[in-house]
Structure formats: C-alpha cells, structure tokens
Amino acid sequence: MALIVQKYGGSSVSDAVSVQRVARRIVETQRAGNDVVVIVSAMGDTTDELLDLAAQITATPPQRELDILLTAGERISMSLLAMAIHELGVRAKSFTGQQAGVITDAVYGRAKIVDVVPSRIAETLERGEVAIIAGFQGVHADTNDVTTLGRGGSDTTAVAIAAGLNADVCEIYTDVDGVFTADPRIVPAARKIDHLTYEEMLELAASGAKVMALRAVEYARRYAVPVHVRSSFIAALGTWISGSSDDPTILNPTEREAPVEAPIISGVAHDDSEAKITVVGVPDIPGMAARIFEVVADAGANLDMIVQNVSAAQTGLTDISFTLPEADGAVALHALTQVQGEIDYTFLQYDDQIGKLSLVGAGMKTSPGVSARFFGALRDAGINIEMISTSEIRISVVTRADSLQDAVRAIHTAFGLDADAEATVYAGTGR
Amino acid sequence: MALIVQKYGGSSVSDAVSVQRVARRIVETQRAGNDVVVIVSAMGDTTDELLDLAAQITATPPQRELDILLTAGERISMSLLAMAIHELGVRAKSFTGQQAGVITDAVYGRAKIVDVVPSRIAETLERGEVAIIAGFQGVHADTNDVTTLGRGGSDTTAVAIAAGLNADVCEIYTDVDGVFTADPRIVPAARKIDHLTYEEMLELAASGAKVMALRAVEYARRYAVPVHVRSSFIAALGTWISGSSDDPTILNPTEREAPVEAPIISGVAHDDSEAKITVVGVPDIPGMAARIFEVVADAGANLDMIVQNVSAAQTGLTDISFTLPEADGAVALHALTQVQGEIDYTFLQYDDQIGKLSLVGAGMKTSPGVSARFFGALRDAGINIEMISTSEIRISVVTRADSLQDAVRAIHTAFGLDADAEATVYAGTGR
C-alpha cells in the first residue's frame, strides 16, 4: 500500500470523455491498494476562454480579480473528475487550493507556495476516499484571498502536496512517455531516460525540456519527493526523478524495475524561445555589469546566459551580452534605454533568432573529453557558436535558431544517445 | 451617504457588454456618495452549461461536487464585474460566499444561511472600494465546504448581506419595473405597485409572483431589511417592500417620493406551475390526513393548498385534495402508492391542468365585501372554482388552467386595479 499523488494536465481532461478516462486510471490505482491524491489542471481551453472574457472587459485587469477568474477553471475540472470517479463506484471529494491547505504569498498571478497544511486531504484518505485537488491555485493566509501560482503551477502543487503528505511518489502525467535524451520531434532516435537525479532534471528543465516545470523540480529536490514523469495514454513506466542515480527509495513497490546504472550523459535539451541582448560600448569600469543586470532584473526579466567580451585596451569599452526569454525582451530593452545616460553605453543590439542547446549529465565534470567531443561534433556539423556557458553537469551553447535542430541531432549522435527504435510522440502540450 | 446593497441576476450580466452596463450603474451609485455592495449571479446560461457538462459525466452527481461545480459560475461573473468597475476608475474587489462570510448549514444544493459575518466586506467599504459578492453560495463553517443556496439563492444572499451590514436598502434589480398588480403579460393594464408590506409581498411571492424569491422576502421580513425591487434597464423607482405601508424608514434619502397610502388590495398573483393530487376514498378516522401529509412531506414535496370534502355518512369515506409544484408530483404519487395498504384509500387522481389565482391585500380581512366581489367577478366571467383557501390578507382559488388568465383579468378589473396606461414589459426572466 503506497500513497500516490497523481497530476493530470489540462490536455488530459479536455472534455467529458477524457475526464472519464482519467477517472478510470485513478480508480485502477486505488483498487490496486493505494491511497490516491489527484492534482488536476483546468480543462483544455478553459483558461484561454476565461482570459478572452476578461480581455473583452479590460486590457488591464486587476491581478487579484484575474486570479479569482482563472481559478474557476480548476473548480470545474476537479468537481467533474470527482463525479466521474464516483460514477465508477469509488468515493471522491474535490478540494480547492484553499481547502487543501496550499498556502502562498500574496503575489497574485505568480504566487509562491509558503506552506502546505493538507489535513483535510489526510482525513479524506483515512476515510478511503480519493482526494482531488485543484492545481495552480492557493490561498494567501493573511487575507484569505485566492492566488494562482503562474507557469508550472499545477506541477508545483502536485510536488508540494506530495511533500506535505510524505507521499511515496508524485506522478506527473503528460502526453509523452517520460523525459527523453532529446526532443523526439527533432531527434527521432531519442531514447526515454529511465532515471534522472534532481540536479540533472533541473538542468534539463532549465535548458528547455518542457516535460516538467523547473520550479516543481526545485521543490521536489528540496523536499526529496520521488517524481515519476509518465504518459497518461499508456501504462508503461516513464522517467523516475530522485535524489541519486541509484537511490533505492525511488522504488515503486509495484512497478519499478531494477535500478539502472547512471549514464554519464543524460540528454540534450534545446530552447528556441530565448533572445539575446548585447549592450555595446559599455565603459570597462567596476560595477557596470552589476548595474546592467540590476536594471534588467528590476524590470522583471529573467536573465539566462551572460557573456562579457574582453575589453579592447585602446577604447576602454566592452560589450556585454545576455540571453533572456523572448517574452521579456521588450521590458528589458525599455529598462536599459531609460538608463543609457547613466551607464553611458553606445547602443543596444536585440536578436531573437537564436537557439540554445544544452548537454546535461551527472558525470560530465569528471569525465575528460566531454567538452572536446561536444565542440568537435558541432564543428563537424558546421554549427557556429555564439555564446558558451557551463555548470557542473551541463554545457550550453547559443547558435543561430535555424541551425539549432542540426546541432541537437549532431550532439545526440556524438554522445551515443541514439536508440535503435524511434520514440513514440503524442500530440498536445501536456501542460 | 447611504449603504446600498444591489443584486443583479444572470440576465443582467449575460455577456461582457451587459457586465459593463451593470458596472456603470454601480459606479454611478457609488459616485453619488453611497457605499455599494453588489451581489451577482452567474452569467446568463453558465449554470445550464455546467449542468450539461455534469450530465455528460453522470446522471447522479454527488451533490457536494455539483455545488462546487456550479459555484464556478459566480466566480466568473463576480471577477469580471470587479474588472469592469476597475476599468471605470473605481476600485472594486470580488468575494466568494465563503470570503464574504455567508455561513450555511451543510445541506448541499439547497443550503440555508445560518449566519452572516461580513467583516471583509465592511473593511472593503471602509477603504472606499466597491464589494462584489457571489450570490447563491456560502460555506459550511464546520467543514469549510462550499454550498449552494438553491432557488432564489442570490436574492437571499443579497438580503442576508444587507441585514448583516445593516444596509439602508437592498435593491433587487430585475427585468421588470417592479412588482405589479398582476402579471403585465396577462393583464396589460396592470400597474406598478409603489409599496408593499413584507406580508403582502410574502403572499404575492408564495402565490406565484416571480419578481422576488419567497425565502428572500421571509429573510427581509425577519431582519426588517428595506427592499427595493427595480429595473436594471431604467432609472425609475420600482417597488419598495418594508415593515408597514407608510413606514418612514423605507425612505431612500435620494430617491423616494412621498409615502403612498396603502390600498386595500395589493394585486393579483397567479401560478400555473402547480398540480393537484386527490386521494379518493380515505377512511374518515382521526389521523389519516396527518399521515398522508407526513408521507408527502417525507418525500420532499412542498404542499400548498389542502381541501378535505365532508365525508359521505353512508360510506365513512372522504376525499382529500392538495396542490403542490408539478415538479414534486412524481415523488408525491410514488410515496402515496407505497402506503396505500396502510392508509387504505381507494385510488389517486393526478391533475396538472390547474391554475391558481390569489388576491392579496393588507386591508382585506377588515374590509367587508371583498369576498363577495371576488367570487361575484369570477361567476360573472364564467370561471369554475375547484378549491378555495384564504389567509388574513389573501384569497386563493384553483381553476382550470385554461381559464386562469381570464380569471386574473376579471379580478384585476373588478377591484379597480386597471391603470390607464399599459405597463412596460421587458423580455427575459430576471432570475
């Protein structure tokens, strides 16, 4: 008997038929002898429809009211899912984030979970009932106001509830079979990864792998929640994410095969949603870089990679480049324009035609020759490199956007990740 | 400066444009120097759409989950309304029933309000903001579960919040100009009534007048909340409902004309949604009627009028007839069939082709000749009477359904209620 937390995204509950399909899966899990807690997102396009309604009223909705509006979405999906489970003869109750004890800060629209008090959920399980919890939402304890968690919110709810209940596993159901060595749409020979450490999954998620939200991985790592990313369409095992590459605690007593030995290289992630800003002609004096990144951060933009070229001695000027999400480009440019007089740079360059490729693997730092093989493969494929960034377990490069896919395939092959059989890809986004 | 509670039904907020229209009305009221609290129903067809979704999942949804599902409707309308008010430059916040302190019992689907603790609403008003509250919903304090109030729920929320805040008036916005001496669709010469006592409005609402829910009138009477039923389409005054016919406390400082003198007769209500059950051949011994009505009540059916004919001495048998909502007919018949052996009646008759007409007026009991004129008018119009029931301020009769409209017109004219000008009727139901 295990306590299993399952999370289903909006594409898994897009209509009544798919709600019933998910209900059958939940009931099977419970009838196999497990306690089951389910986190569910809003149905299919509900969130977009609600946003469209708001847009008809105002272009600048107060964020508090927008949060109240959007949380109507999970209210609908969670109650329908509870009804569908009930229809299969199993008792189920649905709970809002507030009722489930998901306590957040007061930052509407992108609230952070500060505490989880799932006493009602524990009581529900004790009565032998399935507990359904609205993902993506919480409550600010001081005001009793509803908040939403922003991007990746439902994954984070699932991990937080799993941590709060000390669950045996947090299953993230998605529309792919697990985490792959590369995006199967780009690399047909990509292989499903059986197991990743939190750190590897963090680097993959931060580098553009979309299968699980970065913040949810961070949460899982902090509270050591075993995560299992798997398909909602098939019963096969997906990818386990846990503390170490052969951590026995990740074993699911009913399903898990023998632990696999960790490969040096986990996989290749890519991201074509970033842009690059270059601040040209920055005076090469102390504090200038700090000031630039301060300005960008205050504007709410998330910096990713940063490169500063050596300054040309005769001019005393340098260029500072950084990447950030394309969506943050406009505010960052605007903020930097405001401080041109203060920083005294020459001009700004903006480039959204870039791609980022990252190779992630736990053994990388201690395995000589990884860098040599990495850059050699890119050279052989004729890929030009614009920026480089590394961590303990990752090498990232920025290339032209139109050569990104070739680069991903070249690296995937060079590191022996290609499988014999092609991976199965399902439609949809899985969020 | 007054504290005004306004309630808008689903037809007043059926789309973005009408939400904006309601927002303008609210902002006008606030800018005139008033504190404003708004109770809002779900938009137009939202409730039906949610019920349809549930029906695709199961024919027998758990009522707790159905309540959670349905309350998504007001969540959408209330947040959109707050956004629309904000767009007009006035701060507004929306609140669920739980947040507004609407405490109910645990009877999902038709919960009763047991307490109102609107401290957050009072704080919102103190900050000069408009408070928007979801109608139709509350919270069960022990479990923190969401409940819905059932039919007339939003009207009741409005009156309960007005009582809890000691508001100067509770304005019920609808799609007609107020309460009329008869349904203007049947009696074109019907006149708007300027003022009614709670008792008169209770009798009218109980007798089929649809303009305000009976339970909301009962609540208003118990807590002496001045109510103003008026059109959401025009600015004119509607119908005031308060403690006595010339109660000075009903004066709205900004709008109210001089108090009107109470007429003897308030108006004519009708109801064609009832059915009649006759239990034929009941042994005329003590306790039989009580047992019949006990059985019917236990089945959840609401009895209205009851008539027992004198028993025929030679048989020792009598017939007992009663009316009830058509919707309750099936369960009542089923329940009575189950006890035929016990009660030993001969057979049941069911008739849903009946109509009920009620004449309501405070002065009726003390005004001789009302009954004579009432029955004389029906006789002159050739209306056959099947049942009669009276109270202090009401006479009701049951007729054939197809003669109900003629009967209403005949009584309206006989009591001098006809106006010179025809009333204005708007489309829609106003609920």
Side-chain angles (χ1 to χ4, degrees):
Chain A
M1 169 115 167
L3 169 50
I4 299 180
V5 173
Q6 301 187 331
K7 177 258 173 177
Y8 294 93
S11 64
S12 298
V13 289
S14 56
D15 55 20
V17 171
S18 55
V19 168
Q20 288 166 322
R21 187 174 53 74
V22 166
R24 283 192 294 274
R25 182 141 198 167
I26 293 165
V27 167
E28 282 167 19
T29 308
Q30 206 232 24
R31 290 203 168 134
N34 301 296
D35 283 338
V36 187
V37 176
V38 177
I39 283 67
V40 67
S41 303
M43 292 172 78
D45 301 325
T46 308
T47 302
D48 287 340
E49 288 165 10
L50 293 173
L51 285 172
D52 182 58
L53 264 177
Q56 290 177 43
I57 301 275
T58 171
T60 55
Q63 189 66 51
R64 176 186 184 276
E65 301 303 323
L66 198 58
D67 277 12
I68 291 170
L69 179 69
L70 293 182
T71 52
E74 293 88 38
R75 210 171 180 81
I76 295 170
S77 57
M78 74 183 199
S79 53
L80 291 177
L81 184 54
M83 290 177 195
I85 293 170
H86 198 263
E87 183 73 3
L88 296 172
V90 171
R91 280 171 300 156
K93 282 207 175 70
S94 67
F95 299 94
T96 63
Q98 187 252 10
Q99 291 172 333
V102 179
I103 315 296
T104 75
D105 61 21
V107 184
Y108 302 115
R110 47 193 175 90
K112 294 234 180 310
I113 295 175
V114 296
D115 198 6
V116 178
V117 190
S119 50
R120 283 201 74 182
I121 306 305
E123 291 163 19
T124 303
L125 295 176
E126 275 165 28
R127 283 193 300 269
E129 299 171 348
V130 173
I132 315 288
I133 302 175
F136 182 67
Q137 60 176 249
V139 65
H140 180 231
D142 295 351
T143 60
N144 194 25
D145 268 353
V146 171
T147 54
T148 68
L149 307 181
R151 286 186 61 166
S154 290
D155 285 1
T156 309
T157 303
V159 172
I161 290 289
L165 292 171
N166 197 22
D168 294 286
V169 58
C170 177
E171 297 184 335
I172 305 288
Y173 283 89
T174 177
D175 49 9
V176 292
D177 295 352
V179 184
F180 278 74
T181 52
D183 185 337
R185 285 167 296 194
I186 293 177
V187 183
R191 285 185 297 106
K192 192 192 75 188
I193 305 169
D194 289 329
H195 179 249
L196 287 166
T197 62
Y198 296 122
E199 291 72 21
E200 290 165 329
M201 188 68 228
L202 274 179
E203 291 282 9
L204 285 171
S207 301
K210 302 275 189 296
V211 73
M212 188 175 171
L214 177 60
R215 61 190 287 197
V217 183
E218 287 171 344
Y219 205 109
R221 179 196 192 196
R222 185 176 315 154
Y223 293 96
V225 176
V227 173
H228 186 185
V229 176
R230 61 193 305 192
S231 167
S232 60
F233 295 90
I234 60 170
L237 295 177
T239 301
W240 282 83
I241 304 162
S242 66
S244 77
S245 54
D246 54 1
D247 181 352
T249 68
I250 68 163
L251 293 181
N252 178 319
T254 57
E255 291 193 333
R256 181 71 172 141
E257 298 158 352
V260 293
E261 192 161 343
I264 293 178
I265 302 299
S266 301
V268 185
H270 73 281
D271 190 350
D272 57 5
S273 68
E274 295 209 333
K276 182 174 70 168
I277 291 176
T278 303
V279 189
V280 178
V282 179
D284 194 6
I285 53 177
M288 276 302 161
R291 183 68 188 124
I292 285 171
F293 301 131
E294 190 177 78
V295 166
V296 172
D298 287 350
N302 286 310
L303 288 174
D304 182 18
M305 291 169 65
I306 298 172
V307 168
Q308 179 174 352
N309 295 343
V310 174
S311 107
Q314 62 272 36
T315 63
L317 298 177
T318 188
D319 300 338
I320 295 177
S321 294
F322 58 89
T323 65
L324 76 180
E326 258 182 64
D328 293 347
V331 293
L333 287 172
H334 179 74
L336 286 170
T337 306
Q338 301 293 100
V339 294
Q340 182 164 18
E342 175 197 340
I343 296 180
D344 201 27
Y345 62 81
T346 313
F347 62 94
L348 298 175
Q349 278 182 337
Y350 181 73
D351 179 1
D352 59 7
Q353 296 301 308
I354 63 166
K356 187 177 73 168
L357 174 156
S358 302
L359 181 70
V360 174
M364 192 174 292
K365 189 83 173 189
T366 56
S367 177
V370 167
S371 293
R373 189 187 297 186
F374 181 87
F375 291 106
L378 292 178
R379 178 200 60 213
D380 294 347
I383 311 288
N384 195 44
I385 297 166
E386 304 190 7
M387 294 171 83
I388 300 172
S389 154
T390 62
S391 80
E392 288 278 319
I393 60 171
R394 177 181 51 79
I395 309 177
S396 298
V397 293
V398 166
T399 70
R400 282 294 86 199
D402 57 13
S403 58
L404 180 61
Q405 298 197 5
D406 287 341
V408 170
R409 282 186 284 263
I411 294 297
H412 198 267
T413 301
F415 282 88
L417 297 172
D418 291 356
D420 297 335
E422 293 195 359
T424 310
V425 187
Y426 299 95
T429 67
R431 300 292 320 134
Chain B
M1 169 115 168
L3 170 50
I4 299 179
V5 172
Q6 300 187 331
K7 177 260 173 176
Y8 294 92
S11 64
S12 298
V13 291
S14 57
D15 55 20
V17 171
S18 55
V19 167
Q20 289 167 321
R21 186 173 54 74
V22 165
R24 283 193 295 274
R25 182 140 196 168
I26 293 165
V27 167
E28 281 167 20
T29 308
Q30 205 229 27
R31 291 204 167 133
N34 301 296
D35 283 339
V36 187
V37 177
V38 177
I39 281 69
V40 67
S41 303
M43 291 172 78
D45 301 326
T46 307
T47 302
D48 288 340
E49 288 164 11
L50 293 173
L51 285 172
D52 183 57
L53 264 177
Q56 291 177 43
I57 300 276
T58 171
T60 55
Q63 188 66 50
R64 176 186 184 274
E65 301 303 323
L66 197 59
D67 277 13
I68 292 170
L69 179 69
L70 293 182
T71 53
E74 293 88 36
R75 210 170 181 80
I76 296 171
S77 57
M78 75 183 199
S79 53
L80 290 176
L81 184 54
M83 291 177 193
I85 293 170
H86 198 262
E87 182 75 4
L88 297 173
V90 170
R91 280 171 298 157
K93 282 207 174 74
S94 67
F95 299 93
T96 62
Q98 188 251 11
Q99 291 172 332
V102 179
I103 316 297
T104 74
D105 61 23
V107 184
Y108 302 115
R110 48 195 174 89
K112 292 233 178 314
I113 296 175
V114 296
D115 199 6
V116 178
V117 191
S119 50
R120 285 201 72 184
I121 306 305
E123 291 163 18
T124 303
L125 296 176
E126 274 165 27
R127 285 193 298 269
E129 299 170 349
V130 173
I132 315 287
I133 302 175
F136 182 67
Q137 60 175 250
V139 65
H140 180 230
D142 294 351
T143 60
N144 193 26
D145 268 353
V146 171
T147 53
T148 68
L149 307 181
R151 286 186 60 163
S154 290
D155 285 0
T156 309
T157 303
V159 172
I161 290 287
L165 292 169
N166 197 22
D168 294 286
V169 60
C170 177
E171 297 183 336
I172 305 289
Y173 283 89
T174 178
D175 49 9
V176 291
D177 295 352
V179 184
F180 279 73
T181 51
D183 185 337
R185 286 168 294 194
I186 292 178
V187 183
R191 285 185 297 105
K192 193 192 74 191
I193 305 169
D194 290 329
H195 180 249
L196 288 165
T197 62
Y198 295 122
E199 290 72 21
E200 290 165 329
M201 188 66 229
L202 274 179
E203 291 282 10
L204 285 170
S207 303
K210 302 276 189 297
V211 73
M212 188 175 171
L214 177 60
R215 61 190 286 199
V217 183
E218 286 170 344
Y219 204 109
R221 180 196 193 195
R222 184 176 316 153
Y223 293 97
V225 176
V227 173
H228 186 186
V229 176
R230 61 192 307 191
S231 167
S232 61
F233 295 91
I234 60 170
L237 295 178
T239 301
W240 281 83
I241 304 161
S242 65
S244 79
S245 55
D246 54 2
D247 181 351
T249 68
I250 67 162
L251 294 180
N252 178 318
T254 58
E255 291 191 333
R256 179 75 171 138
E257 297 159 352
V260 292
E261 193 161 343
I264 292 177
I265 302 299
S266 300
V268 185
H270 73 281
D271 190 350
D272 55 7
S273 68
E274 295 208 334
K276 182 175 69 170
I277 291 178
T278 303
V279 188
V280 178
V282 179
D284 195 7
I285 53 177
M288 276 303 163
R291 183 68 189 126
I292 285 172
F293 301 132
E294 190 177 79
V295 167
V296 172
D298 286 351
N302 286 310
L303 289 174
D304 184 17
M305 291 168 66
I306 297 172
V307 170
Q308 179 174 353
N309 295 344
V310 174
S311 101
Q314 62 272 38
T315 64
L317 299 177
T318 186
D319 301 339
I320 295 178
S321 295
F322 57 88
T323 65
L324 76 179
E326 258 183 63
D328 294 346
V331 292
L333 286 173
H334 178 74
L336 286 170
T337 305
Q338 300 294 99
V339 295
Q340 182 164 15
E342 174 196 343
I343 297 181
D344 199 26
Y345 61 81
T346 314
F347 62 93
L348 299 175
Q349 278 182 336
Y350 181 73
D351 179 1
D352 59 5
Q353 296 302 307
I354 62 165
K356 185 177 73 167
L357 175 155
S358 302
L359 181 70
V360 174
M364 191 176 292
K365 189 84 171 188
T366 55
S367 177
V370 166
S371 293
R373 190 188 296 185
F374 181 86
F375 291 105
L378 292 177
R379 178 200 59 213
D380 293 347
I383 311 290
N384 195 45
I385 296 167
E386 304 191 5
M387 293 171 82
I388 301 173
S389 152
T390 62
S391 80
E392 289 277 319
I393 61 171
R394 176 182 52 79
I395 309 175
S396 298
V397 294
V398 167
T399 69
R400 284 290 88 199
D402 57 13
S403 59
L404 180 61
Q405 297 198 7
D406 287 341
V408 170
R409 282 186 284 265
I411 295 297
H412 199 266
T413 301
F415 282 88
L417 297 171
D418 291 356
D420 296 335
E422 293 192 1
T424 310
V425 188
Y426 297 94
T429 68
R431 298 294 319 137

